[in-house]
Structure formats: structure tokens, C-alpha cells
Amino acid sequence: FLNLSIILFFLTSISFSQNLRVEYDFTVNKSNELATATKQYVLEQSTTGSLFLFDKIREKKQFKNYELAEVVFDKDSIVAYIIGDNSIEFLYKEKHYKDFKNNLQFYNFKTGYTIKSICVKEPIEIFDWQIENSADTIIAGYSCQKAITTFRGREYEAYFTNELADQGGPWKFDGLPGFILKVASKDGYLLIEPTKIILNKNNIVIKNPY
């Protein structure tokens, strides 16, 4: 029995020592339907940290009504679009880094109609999760459990698996005993779901871009 426990621990350590790459569709359904967009993010994760990245700022087809989108400003890491008659939307290069060892996350955030973004630092574990004892849900071929939380007045459902990692997830979402594959707000405003998962046996160090 002892030898079996050691073998299982060893195999689990090996599986969680590899890098994980997940491509996500990140949909925000805005009240102004013209501005609704589905952006393509990439998450790279190792045992020590992760980087959630969006840099496709010049692909206007990410907007639901992209045929109405016109570029009015384009400089370096930010592009401004007018969609329809009165909707102005900005796409900027987003980098969301998590430092698992120190329980910290760093990300850039654009405020208002400025062309600059600020860097924010805060703890990773900011959600008060309740794990539901419901039947497992299969997402992208992985068995997931469901958890719920309320954050800044909005209710979220998250689906996490311990078959990929024992922590991590897209954007700010984290703090569950497994890797978060899917998140949806109950009001339909936000939906984050995986489109591709790649396991890399080479444990690459992911550095803090800030």
C-alpha cells in the first residue's frame, strides 16, 4: 500500500510538472449589442505561474457586428473602433500574470478613453467559492466539478478539473482545488470557454512581464 501511494504521488507530480497551454474564447455580451465581442486569449501555465494573454487587437472580426466596425485610432498596443453610430470600443494588449508561489497576480487595465493602461497587483485568492456536490461535467474531454461565487454583484459558475493542474484558470478566476476550464456569469454577461488544450512536457519558466 505504501509503495502504491508513492507511485501515485510520483505520477501526479510528473503530470503537474508540465506546462499547460489553453486557448479560450472570452465573450462579453454588452447591453449595446453592437459592442459584444468574443476575444481569443491564450493561457500558458507552469507550476510556478501563468500568463493569460490577449494581443489580437487588430482583428475586428472579434466583434459580433464587425462589419460595422471602423478603426479610428491605432497606436502600438491599443486600437480604438467605432461600431455603428455611437459605440466606441478599445482593444488593447492584455497581460494577466499569476505568481503562484507568492499568491499574487498582476495585470494591466485601461481606464476610460485614455490611451494608457495601469498595472494592478492583488492577491490571487479573491473569490469565495462554494463547491457544489453535483455530477461531474465533461468539458473538452476532462471531468469537471462545478463551483459558484458572487463577485462585485455578479454571480458566476466555474467548472474546474484536477486532471490538468491543482490550481489556475483564466483571467482572475482561481482559488479552486483544480484548474478552471470554463466560467459563465448567471446573467449571460460573461462566458469563458476553452477551444484548445495542449500539454507540454517541457517545464518552461513563465516570467512576470511587469
Side-chain angles (χ1 to χ4, degrees):
F1 177 78
L2 180 60
N3 291 337
L4 179 60
S5 299
I6 293 173
I7 292 171
L8 289 174
F9 175 79
F10 179 71
L11 292 175
T12 303
S13 299
I14 290 176
S15 64
F16 287 166
S17 67
Q18 58 192 357
N19 270 37
L20 174 65
R21 176 187 172 94
V22 183
E23 297 177 10
Y24 284 98
D25 274 354
F26 192 117
T27 302
V28 176
N29 292 296
K30 296 192 175 182
S31 55
N32 180 353
E33 192 171 317
L34 292 177
T36 290
T38 298
K39 297 190 289 185
Q40 287 77 48
Y41 284 76
V42 173
L43 185 146
E44 296 275 2
Q45 179 166 312
S46 68
T47 56
T48 57
S50 70
L51 183 62
F52 190 56
L53 176 68
F54 169 74
D55 62 4
K56 297 181 179 180
I57 60 176
R58 292 176 179 83
E59 293 186 14
K60 68 178 185 179
K61 286 190 175 181
Q62 293 169 114
F63 291 108
K64 183 176 181 179
N65 297 91
Y66 68 89
E67 67 277 2
L68 302 177
E70 295 184 15
V71 175
V72 293
F73 179 86
D74 186 341
K75 184 178 180 181
D76 299 331
S77 61
I78 186 168
V79 178
Y81 296 85
I82 286 184
I83 307 173
D85 295 328
N86 57 5
S87 179
I88 299 178
E89 294 296 320
F90 293 86
L91 294 185
Y92 63 101
K93 293 185 178 181
E94 302 172 47
K95 297 179 181 179
H96 197 122
Y97 173 77
K98 292 177 183 176
D99 178 351
F100 296 141
K101 183 178 179 181
N102 296 301
N103 187 35
L104 290 172
Q105 57 183 327
F106 305 80
Y107 56 92
N108 58 329
F109 179 76
K110 196 193 74 61
T111 58
Y113 292 99
T114 65
I115 61 173
K116 296 181 179 180
S117 62
I118 60 174
C119 178
V120 178
K121 178 179 76 171
E122 63 183 9
I124 290 177
E125 296 185 6
I126 57 175
F127 296 98
D128 183 16
W129 294 105
Q130 295 180 31
I131 299 176
E132 295 194 343
N133 294 321
S134 56
D136 287 353
T137 301
I138 303 300
I139 297 175
Y142 294 92
S143 180
C144 297
Q145 280 186 272
K146 180 181 176 182
I148 58 174
T149 191
T150 299
F151 182 68
R152 294 179 179 173
R154 182 167 275 127
E155 295 180 79
Y156 294 95
E157 299 175 344
Y159 295 86
F160 67 97
T161 179
N162 55 19
E163 296 176 0
L164 290 170
D166 56 7
Q167 61 189 326
W171 196 50
K172 294 184 178 183
F173 294 103
D174 214 308
L176 284 167
F179 182 82
I180 299 173
L181 272 178
K182 180 180 177 180
V183 179
S185 63
K186 289 188 176 181
D187 61 0
Y189 175 75
L190 179 71
L191 175 63
I192 308 173
E193 51 188 349
T195 59
K196 189 175 184 179
I197 299 173
I198 300 173
L199 296 175
N200 186 349
K201 294 182 179 180
N202 298 319
N203 189 21
I204 303 170
V205 176
I206 298 174
K207 296 182 180 180
N208 185 348
Y210 302 106

